[in-house]
Coordinates of all heavy atoms in Angstrom, one line a residue:
M1 N 11.4 9.8 -50.2 CA 11.3 10.5 -48.9 C 12.1 11.8 -49.0 O 13.3 11.8 -49.4 CB 11.9 9.6 -47.8 CG 11.6 9.9 -46.4 SD 12.3 8.7 -45.2 CE 10.9 8.1 -44.5
P2 N 11.5 12.9 -48.6 CA 12.2 14.2 -48.7 C 13.4 14.2 -47.7 O 13.5 13.4 -46.8 CB 11.2 15.3 -48.3 CG 9.9 14.6 -48.1 CD 10.2 13.1 -48.2
E3 N 14.3 15.2 -47.9 CA 15.5 15.3 -47.0 C 15.6 16.7 -46.4 O 15.3 17.7 -47.1 CB 16.7 15.0 -47.9 CG 18.0 14.8 -47.1 CD 19.1 14.4 -48.0 OE1 19.2 13.2 -48.3 OE2 19.9 15.2 -48.4
N4 N 15.9 16.7 -45.1 CA 16.1 18.0 -44.4 C 17.4 18.6 -44.9 O 18.5 18.1 -44.9 CB 16.2 17.7 -42.9 CG 16.4 18.9 -42.1 OD1 17.1 19.8 -42.4 ND2 15.7 19.0 -41.0
S5 N 17.3 19.9 -45.5 CA 18.5 20.5 -46.0 C 19.5 20.9 -45.0 O 20.6 21.2 -45.3 CB 18.0 21.7 -46.8 OG 17.4 22.7 -46.0
Y6 N 19.0 21.0 -43.7 CA 19.9 21.4 -42.6 C 20.7 20.2 -42.1 O 21.9 20.3 -41.9 CB 19.1 22.1 -41.5 CG 20.0 22.7 -40.5 CD1 20.8 23.9 -40.7 CD2 20.1 22.2 -39.2 CE1 21.6 24.4 -39.7 CE2 20.9 22.7 -38.2 CZ 21.6 23.8 -38.5 OH 22.4 24.4 -37.5
T7 N 20.0 19.1 -41.9 CA 20.7 17.9 -41.3 C 21.1 16.9 -42.3 O 21.9 16.0 -42.0 CB 19.8 17.3 -40.2 OG1 18.6 16.7 -40.9 CG2 19.3 18.3 -39.1
G8 N 20.4 16.9 -43.4 CA 20.7 15.9 -44.4 C 19.9 14.6 -44.2 O 20.0 13.6 -45.0
E9 N 19.1 14.5 -43.2 CA 18.4 13.3 -42.8 C 17.0 13.3 -43.5 O 16.3 14.3 -43.7 CB 18.2 13.3 -41.3 CG 17.7 12.0 -40.7 CD 17.8 12.0 -39.2 OE1 17.7 13.0 -38.6 OE2 17.8 10.9 -38.7
S10 N 16.6 12.1 -43.9 CA 15.3 12.0 -44.6 C 14.2 12.0 -43.5 O 14.4 11.8 -42.4 CB 15.2 10.7 -45.3 OG 16.1 10.6 -46.4
Y11 N 13.0 12.4 -44.0 CA 11.8 12.5 -43.0 C 10.5 12.2 -43.7 O 10.4 12.3 -45.0 CB 11.8 13.9 -42.4 CG 11.5 15.1 -43.4 CD1 10.3 15.4 -43.8 CD2 12.6 15.7 -44.0 CE1 10.0 16.4 -44.7 CE2 12.4 16.7 -45.0 CZ 11.1 17.1 -45.3 OH 10.9 18.0 -46.2
D12 N 9.5 11.9 -43.0 CA 8.1 11.8 -43.4 C 7.3 13.0 -42.9 O 7.5 13.4 -41.7 CB 7.5 10.5 -42.9 CG 7.9 9.3 -43.6 OD1 8.0 9.3 -44.9 OD2 8.1 8.2 -43.0
V13 N 6.4 13.5 -43.7 CA 5.5 14.5 -43.3 C 4.2 13.8 -42.8 O 3.6 13.0 -43.5 CB 5.1 15.5 -44.4 CG1 4.0 16.5 -43.9 CG2 6.4 16.3 -44.8
T14 N 3.9 14.0 -41.5 CA 2.7 13.2 -40.9 C 1.4 14.1 -40.9 O 0.4 13.5 -40.8 CB 3.0 12.7 -39.5 OG1 3.3 13.8 -38.7 CG2 4.2 11.8 -39.6
S15 N 1.6 15.4 -40.9 CA 0.4 16.3 -41.0 C 0.8 17.7 -41.5 O 2.0 18.0 -41.4 CB -0.3 16.4 -39.6 OG 0.6 17.0 -38.7
R16 N -0.1 18.4 -42.0 CA 0.2 19.8 -42.5 C -1.1 20.6 -42.4 O -2.2 20.1 -42.2 CB 0.7 19.8 -43.9 CG -0.2 19.2 -44.9 CD 0.4 19.2 -46.3 NE 1.5 18.2 -46.3 CZ 2.6 18.2 -47.0 NH1 2.8 19.2 -47.9 NH2 3.5 17.3 -47.0
G17 N -0.8 22.0 -42.4 CA -2.0 22.9 -42.3 C -1.5 24.3 -42.5 O -0.4 24.6 -42.9
V18 N -2.5 25.2 -42.1 CA -2.2 26.6 -42.2 C -2.7 27.2 -40.9 O -3.7 26.9 -40.4 CB -3.0 27.3 -43.4 CG1 -2.9 28.8 -43.4 CG2 -2.6 26.6 -44.7
N19 N -1.8 28.1 -40.3 CA -2.1 28.7 -39.0 C -3.0 29.9 -39.2 O -3.3 30.3 -40.3 CB -0.9 28.9 -38.1 CG 0.1 29.9 -38.7 OD1 -0.3 30.7 -39.6 ND2 1.3 29.9 -38.2
D20 N -3.3 30.6 -38.1 CA -4.2 31.8 -38.1 C -3.6 32.9 -38.8 O -4.3 33.8 -39.3 CB -4.5 32.2 -36.6 CG -5.3 31.2 -35.9 OD1 -6.0 30.4 -36.5 OD2 -5.3 31.3 -34.6
Q21 N -2.3 33.0 -39.0 CA -1.6 34.1 -39.7 C -1.5 33.8 -41.2 O -1.0 34.5 -42.0 CB -0.2 34.3 -39.2 CG -0.2 34.9 -37.8 CD -0.5 33.9 -36.7 OE1 0.0 32.7 -36.8 NE2 -1.2 34.3 -35.7
G22 N -2.0 32.6 -41.6 CA -1.9 32.2 -43.0 C -0.6 31.6 -43.5 O -0.4 31.3 -44.6
N23 N 0.2 31.2 -42.5 CA 1.5 30.5 -42.8 C 1.3 29.0 -42.8 O 0.5 28.5 -41.9 CB 2.5 30.9 -41.7 CG 2.8 32.4 -41.7 OD1 2.9 33.1 -42.7 ND2 2.9 33.0 -40.5
S24 N 1.9 28.3 -43.7 CA 1.8 26.9 -43.7 C 2.8 26.2 -42.8 O 3.9 26.7 -42.5 CB 2.0 26.4 -45.2 OG 3.3 26.7 -45.6
Y25 N 2.4 25.1 -42.3 CA 3.3 24.3 -41.4 C 3.1 22.8 -41.7 O 2.1 22.4 -42.2 CB 3.0 24.6 -39.9 CG 1.7 24.2 -39.5 CD1 1.5 22.9 -39.0 CD2 0.6 25.0 -39.5 CE1 0.3 22.4 -38.5 CE2 -0.7 24.6 -39.1 CZ -0.8 23.3 -38.6 OH -2.1 22.9 -38.2
D26 N 4.1 22.0 -41.3 CA 4.0 20.6 -41.3 C 4.7 20.0 -40.2 O 5.6 20.6 -39.6 CB 4.4 20.0 -42.7 CG 5.8 20.3 -43.1 OD1 6.7 20.1 -42.3 OD2 6.0 20.7 -44.3
H27 N 4.3 18.8 -39.8 CA 4.9 18.0 -38.7 C 5.7 16.9 -39.4 O 5.2 16.2 -40.3 CB 3.8 17.4 -37.8 CG 4.4 16.5 -36.8 ND1 4.3 15.1 -36.9 CD2 5.1 16.7 -35.7 CE1 4.9 14.6 -35.8 NE2 5.4 15.5 -35.1
R28 N 7.0 16.8 -39.0 CA 7.9 15.9 -39.7 C 8.5 14.9 -38.7 O 8.8 15.3 -37.5 CB 9.1 16.7 -40.3 CG 8.6 17.6 -41.4 CD 9.7 18.5 -41.9 NE 9.2 19.4 -43.0 CZ 10.0 20.1 -43.8 NH1 11.3 20.1 -43.6 NH2 9.5 20.9 -44.7
V29 N 8.7 13.7 -39.1 CA 9.3 12.7 -38.3 C 10.5 12.2 -39.1 O 10.4 11.7 -40.2 CB 8.4 11.5 -38.0 CG1 9.1 10.5 -37.1 CG2 7.2 12.0 -37.3
S30 N 11.7 12.3 -38.5 CA 13.0 12.0 -39.2 C 13.2 10.5 -39.2 O 12.6 9.7 -38.4 CB 14.2 12.7 -38.6 OG 14.4 12.2 -37.3
E31 N 14.2 10.0 -39.9 CA 14.6 8.6 -39.9 C 15.0 8.1 -38.5 O 14.7 7.0 -38.2 CB 15.9 8.4 -40.8 CG 15.6 8.6 -42.3 CD 16.9 8.5 -43.0 OE1 17.8 9.3 -42.8 OE2 17.0 7.6 -43.9
S32 N 15.6 9.0 -37.7 CA 16.0 8.6 -36.4 C 14.8 8.7 -35.3 O 15.0 8.5 -34.2 CB 17.1 9.5 -35.9 OG 16.8 10.9 -35.9
G33 N 13.6 9.1 -35.8 CA 12.5 9.2 -34.9 C 12.3 10.6 -34.2 O 11.4 10.7 -33.4
E34 N 13.1 11.6 -34.6 CA 12.9 12.9 -34.1 C 11.7 13.6 -34.7 O 11.5 13.5 -35.9 CB 14.2 13.7 -34.3 CG 15.4 13.2 -33.5 CD 15.2 13.3 -32.0 OE1 14.7 14.4 -31.5 OE2 15.6 12.4 -31.3
H35 N 11.0 14.3 -33.9 CA 9.8 15.1 -34.4 C 10.2 16.5 -34.5 O 10.9 17.1 -33.7 CB 8.6 15.0 -33.4 CG 8.1 13.6 -33.3 ND1 6.9 13.2 -33.8 CD2 8.6 12.5 -32.7 CE1 6.7 11.9 -33.6 NE2 7.7 11.5 -32.9
S36 N 9.7 17.2 -35.5 CA 9.9 18.6 -35.7 C 8.7 19.3 -36.4 O 7.9 18.6 -37.1 CB 11.2 18.9 -36.4 OG 11.1 18.5 -37.8
Y37 N 8.6 20.6 -36.2 CA 7.6 21.3 -37.0 C 8.4 22.3 -37.9 O 9.4 22.9 -37.5 CB 6.7 22.1 -36.1 CG 5.6 21.3 -35.5 CD1 5.8 20.7 -34.2 CD2 4.4 21.1 -36.1 CE1 4.8 19.9 -33.6 CE2 3.4 20.3 -35.5 CZ 3.6 19.7 -34.3 OH 2.7 18.9 -33.7
H38 N 7.9 22.4 -39.1 CA 8.5 23.3 -40.1 C 7.4 24.3 -40.5 O 6.3 23.9 -40.9 CB 9.0 22.5 -41.3 CG 9.5 23.4 -42.4 ND1 8.8 23.7 -43.5 CD2 10.7 24.0 -42.6 CE1 9.5 24.5 -44.3 NE2 10.7 24.7 -43.8
Y39 N 7.7 25.6 -40.4 CA 6.8 26.6 -40.8 C 7.3 27.4 -42.0 O 8.5 27.8 -42.0 CB 6.6 27.6 -39.6 CG 6.1 27.0 -38.4 CD1 6.9 26.4 -37.4 CD2 4.7 27.1 -38.1 CE1 6.4 25.8 -36.3 CE2 4.2 26.5 -37.0 CZ 5.0 25.9 -36.1 OH 4.5 25.4 -34.9
S40 N 6.5 27.5 -43.0 CA 6.9 28.4 -44.2 C 6.0 29.6 -44.1 O 4.8 29.5 -44.2 CB 6.6 27.6 -45.5 OG 7.4 26.5 -45.6
N41 N 6.6 30.7 -44.0 CA 5.9 32.0 -43.7 C 5.7 32.8 -45.0 O 6.4 32.6 -46.0 CB 6.6 32.8 -42.7 CG 6.8 32.1 -41.4 OD1 5.9 31.4 -40.9 ND2 8.0 32.2 -40.8
N42 N 4.6 33.6 -45.0 CA 4.2 34.3 -46.2 C 5.3 35.3 -46.6 O 5.4 35.7 -47.8 CB 2.9 35.1 -45.9 CG 1.8 34.2 -45.7 OD1 1.7 33.2 -46.4 ND2 0.8 34.6 -44.9
D43 N 6.2 35.7 -45.7 CA 7.2 36.7 -46.1 C 8.5 36.0 -46.7 O 9.5 36.7 -46.9 CB 7.6 37.5 -44.8 CG 8.2 36.7 -43.7 OD1 8.4 35.5 -43.9 OD2 8.5 37.3 -42.7
G44 N 8.5 34.7 -46.9 CA 9.6 34.0 -47.5 C 10.5 33.4 -46.4 O 11.4 32.6 -46.8
S45 N 10.3 33.6 -45.2 CA 11.1 33.0 -44.1 C 10.6 31.6 -43.8 O 9.5 31.3 -44.1 CB 11.1 33.9 -42.9 OG 9.8 33.9 -42.3
Y46 N 11.4 30.9 -43.1 CA 11.0 29.6 -42.6 C 11.6 29.3 -41.3 O 12.6 29.9 -40.9 CB 11.3 28.4 -43.6 CG 12.7 28.2 -44.0 CD1 13.5 27.3 -43.3 CD2 13.3 28.9 -45.0 CE1 14.8 27.1 -43.7 CE2 14.6 28.7 -45.4 CZ 15.3 27.8 -44.7 OH 16.6 27.6 -45.1
Y47 N 11.1 28.3 -40.6 CA 11.4 28.1 -39.2 C 11.2 26.6 -38.8 O 10.2 26.0 -39.2 CB 10.4 28.9 -38.3 CG 10.5 28.8 -36.8 CD1 11.5 29.5 -36.1 CD2 9.6 28.1 -36.1 CE1 11.6 29.4 -34.7 CE2 9.6 28.0 -34.7 CZ 10.6 28.7 -34.1 OH 10.7 28.6 -32.7
Y48 N 12.2 26.0 -38.1 CA 12.1 24.7 -37.6 C 12.0 24.7 -36.1 O 12.8 25.4 -35.5 CB 13.3 23.8 -38.0 CG 13.5 23.5 -39.4 CD1 14.2 24.3 -40.2 CD2 12.8 22.3 -39.9 CE1 14.4 23.9 -41.6 CE2 13.0 22.0 -41.3 CZ 13.8 22.8 -42.1 OH 14.0 22.5 -43.4
Q49 N 11.1 23.9 -35.5 CA 11.2 23.7 -34.1 C 11.3 22.2 -33.8 O 10.4 21.4 -34.3 CB 9.9 24.3 -33.4 CG 9.9 24.1 -31.9 CD 9.1 25.1 -31.2 OE1 8.5 26.0 -31.7 NE2 9.0 24.9 -29.9
N50 N 12.3 21.8 -33.1 CA 12.6 20.4 -33.0 C 12.2 19.9 -31.6 O 12.0 20.6 -30.7 CB 14.1 20.1 -33.2 CG 14.6 20.6 -34.5 OD1 14.0 20.3 -35.6 ND2 15.6 21.5 -34.6
S51 N 12.0 18.5 -31.5 CA 11.5 17.9 -30.3 C 12.5 18.1 -29.1 O 12.1 18.0 -28.0 CB 11.2 16.5 -30.5 OG 12.3 15.7 -31.0
D52 N 13.8 18.3 -29.4 CA 14.7 18.5 -28.3 C 14.8 19.9 -27.8 O 15.6 20.3 -26.9 CB 16.1 18.1 -28.8 CG 16.7 18.9 -29.9 OD1 16.1 19.9 -30.4 OD2 17.9 18.7 -30.3
G53 N 13.9 20.8 -28.4 CA 13.9 22.2 -28.0 C 14.7 23.1 -28.8 O 14.6 24.4 -28.7
S54 N 15.5 22.6 -29.7 CA 16.3 23.5 -30.6 C 15.4 24.1 -31.7 O 14.4 23.6 -32.0 CB 17.5 22.7 -31.2 OG 17.0 21.7 -32.1
R55 N 15.9 25.2 -32.2 CA 15.1 26.0 -33.2 C 16.1 26.5 -34.3 O 17.2 26.9 -34.0 CB 14.4 27.1 -32.5 CG 13.4 26.7 -31.5 CD 12.7 27.9 -30.8 NE 13.6 28.8 -30.2 CZ 14.1 28.7 -29.0 NH1 13.9 27.7 -28.3 NH2 14.8 29.7 -28.5
Y56 N 15.5 26.6 -35.5 CA 16.3 27.2 -36.6 C 15.4 28.1 -37.3 O 14.2 27.8 -37.7 CB 16.8 26.1 -37.5 CG 17.5 26.7 -38.7 CD1 18.8 27.2 -38.6 CD2 16.9 26.7 -40.0 CE1 19.5 27.7 -39.7 CE2 17.5 27.2 -41.1 CZ 18.8 27.8 -41.0 OH 19.5 28.3 -42.0
Y57 N 15.8 29.3 -37.6 CA 15.1 30.3 -38.3 C 15.9 30.9 -39.5 O 17.1 31.1 -39.3 CB 14.7 31.5 -37.4 CG 14.1 32.7 -38.2 CD1 12.8 32.7 -38.6 CD2 14.9 33.8 -38.5 CE1 12.3 33.8 -39.3 CE2 14.4 34.9 -39.2 CZ 13.1 34.9 -39.6 OH 12.6 35.9 -40.2
N58 N 15.3 31.0 -40.7 CA 15.9 31.6 -41.8 C 15.0 32.6 -42.4 O 13.8 32.3 -42.7 CB 16.2 30.5 -42.9 CG 17.1 31.0 -44.0 OD1 16.8 31.9 -44.7 ND2 18.3 30.4 -44.2
S59 N 15.5 33.8 -42.5 CA 14.7 35.0 -43.0 C 14.4 34.9 -44.5 O 13.4 35.6 -45.0 CB 15.4 36.3 -42.7 OG 16.6 36.4 -43.6
G60 N 15.1 34.1 -45.2 CA 14.9 34.0 -46.7 C 15.7 35.0 -47.5 O 15.7 35.0 -48.7
D61 N 16.3 36.0 -46.7 CA 17.0 37.0 -47.4 C 18.4 37.3 -46.8 O 18.9 38.4 -46.9 CB 16.2 38.3 -47.5 CG 16.0 38.9 -46.1 OD1 16.4 38.3 -45.1 OD2 15.3 40.0 -46.0
G62 N 19.0 36.2 -46.2 CA 20.4 36.3 -45.8 C 20.7 36.2 -44.3 O 21.8 36.3 -43.9
Y63 N 19.7 36.1 -43.5 CA 19.9 36.0 -42.1 C 19.4 34.7 -41.6 O 18.3 34.3 -42.0 CB 19.2 37.2 -41.3 CG 19.1 37.0 -39.8 CD1 20.3 37.3 -39.1 CD2 18.0 36.5 -39.2 CE1 20.2 37.1 -37.7 CE2 18.0 36.3 -37.8 CZ 19.1 36.6 -37.1 OH 19.1 36.5 -35.7
S64 N 20.2 34.0 -40.7 CA 19.7 32.8 -40.1 C 20.1 32.8 -38.6 O 21.1 33.4 -38.3 CB 20.2 31.6 -40.8 OG 21.6 31.5 -40.8
R65 N 19.4 32.0 -37.8 CA 19.6 31.9 -36.4 C 19.3 30.5 -36.0 O 18.3 30.0 -36.3 CB 18.8 32.9 -35.6 CG 19.0 32.8 -34.1 CD 18.1 33.9 -33.4 NE 16.7 33.6 -33.6 CZ 15.8 34.4 -34.2 NH1 16.2 35.5 -34.8 NH2 14.6 34.0 -34.3
Y66 N 20.3 29.9 -35.3 CA 20.1 28.6 -34.7 C 20.2 28.7 -33.2 O 21.1 29.3 -32.7 CB 21.1 27.6 -35.2 CG 21.0 26.2 -34.6 CD1 20.0 25.4 -34.9 CD2 22.0 25.8 -33.7 CE1 19.9 24.1 -34.3 CE2 21.9 24.5 -33.1 CZ 20.8 23.7 -33.4 OH 20.7 22.5 -32.8
T67 N 19.2 28.1 -32.5 CA 19.3 28.1 -31.0 C 19.3 26.7 -30.6 O 18.4 25.9 -30.9 CB 18.0 28.9 -30.4 OG1 18.0 30.2 -31.0 CG2 18.1 28.9 -28.9
T68 N 20.2 26.3 -29.7 CA 20.3 24.9 -29.2 C 19.3 24.7 -28.2 O 18.6 25.6 -27.7 CB 21.7 24.7 -28.6 OG1 21.8 25.4 -27.4 CG2 22.8 25.0 -29.6
S69 N 19.1 23.4 -27.8 CA 18.2 23.1 -26.7 C 18.6 23.7 -25.4 O 17.8 23.8 -24.5 CB 18.0 21.6 -26.6 OG 19.3 21.0 -26.5
E70 N 19.9 24.0 -25.3 CA 20.4 24.6 -24.0 C 20.2 26.1 -24.0 O 20.5 26.8 -23.0 CB 21.9 24.3 -23.8 CG 22.1 22.8 -23.5 CD 22.2 22.0 -24.8 OE1 22.4 22.6 -25.9 OE2 22.1 20.7 -24.7
G71 N 19.8 26.7 -25.2 CA 19.6 28.1 -25.2 C 20.7 28.9 -25.9 O 20.6 30.2 -25.9
Y72 N 21.7 28.3 -26.3 CA 22.8 29.0 -27.0 C 22.4 29.3 -28.4 O 21.8 28.5 -29.1 CB 24.1 28.2 -27.0 CG 24.6 27.8 -25.6 CD1 24.5 26.6 -25.1 CD2 25.3 28.8 -24.9 CE1 24.9 26.3 -23.8 CE2 25.7 28.6 -23.6 CZ 25.6 27.3 -23.1 OH 26.0 27.0 -21.8
T73 N 22.7 30.5 -28.9 CA 22.3 31.0 -30.2 C 23.5 31.4 -31.1 O 24.4 32.0 -30.6 CB 21.4 32.2 -30.0 OG1 20.2 31.9 -29.3 CG2 20.9 32.8 -31.4
S74 N 23.4 31.0 -32.3 CA 24.4 31.4 -33.3 C 23.6 32.1 -34.5 O 22.6 31.6 -34.8 CB 25.3 30.3 -33.8 OG 24.5 29.3 -34.4
E75 N 24.2 33.1 -35.0 CA 23.5 33.9 -36.1 C 24.5 34.0 -37.3 O 25.7 34.0 -37.1 CB 23.2 35.3 -35.6 CG 22.1 35.3 -34.5 CD 21.8 36.7 -34.0 OE1 22.8 37.3 -33.5 OE2 20.7 37.1 -34.1
K76 N 23.9 34.0 -38.4 CA 24.7 34.2 -39.7 C 24.0 35.3 -40.5 O 22.8 35.3 -40.7 CB 24.7 32.9 -40.4 CG 25.5 32.9 -41.7 CD 25.6 31.5 -42.4 CE 26.4 31.6 -43.6 NZ 26.4 30.3 -44.3
Y77 N 24.8 36.1 -41.1 CA 24.3 37.2 -41.9 C 24.9 37.0 -43.3 O 26.0 36.7 -43.5 CB 24.7 38.6 -41.4 CG 24.1 38.9 -40.0 CD1 24.8 38.5 -38.9 CD2 22.9 39.5 -39.9 CE1 24.3 38.7 -37.6 CE2 22.4 39.8 -38.6 CZ 23.1 39.4 -37.5 OH 22.6 39.6 -36.2
G78 N 24.1 37.3 -44.3 CA 24.6 37.4 -45.7 C 24.6 36.1 -46.5 O 25.1 36.1 -47.6
G79 N 24.0 35.0 -46.0 CA 23.9 33.8 -46.7 C 22.6 33.2 -46.6 O 21.9 33.3 -45.6
K80 N 22.1 32.5 -47.6 CA 20.8 31.8 -47.6 C 21.1 30.4 -47.2 O 20.3 29.6 -46.9 CB 20.1 31.9 -48.9 CG 19.7 33.3 -49.2 CD 18.8 33.4 -50.4 CE 18.4 34.8 -50.7 NZ 17.5 34.9 -51.8

């Protein structure tokens, strides 16, 4: 079972595909039953959208942003 690098929790991929922009995505269900979508974009960035409304974005070149389900955002520069 693969592991989420952000939470450390294992997950199953239940479906996958490619969207209209040519970016790949998959639907994941974690050990605790949480659902999320993971998008891998052509530009090297990736994005998680979780069932609780939180989101995580990583540019692939040093910038990341996490937004909580309440709408609070934290950003990090300079690290992958």
Side-chain angles (χ1 to χ4, degrees):
M1 199 179 240
E3 192 173 276
N4 182 317
S5 60
Y6 187 71
T7 66
E9 195 171 23
S10 297
Y11 63 87
D12 281 320
V13 174
T14 61
S15 64
R16 63 184 65 211
V18 177
N19 65 16
D20 293 340
Q21 292 77 37
N23 301 317
S24 61
Y25 66 88
D26 56 51
H27 176 253
R28 301 175 176 188
V29 181
S30 69
E31 291 175 302
S32 61
E34 294 294 319
H35 294 253
S36 66
Y37 283 91
H38 176 261
Y39 298 86
S40 296
N41 302 317
N42 293 326
D43 64 2
S45 66
Y46 60 94
Y47 177 80
Y48 290 95
Q49 181 155 355
N50 303 309
S51 57
D52 65 358
S54 63
R55 300 179 302 278
Y56 176 76
Y57 169 79
N58 189 301
S59 66
D61 64 0
Y63 169 78
S64 62
R65 179 179 64 245
Y66 176 72
T67 306
T68 67
S69 54
E70 293 84 15
Y72 298 104
T73 299
S74 63
E75 295 176 299
K76 182 178 178 182
Y77 298 87
K80 293 186 180 184

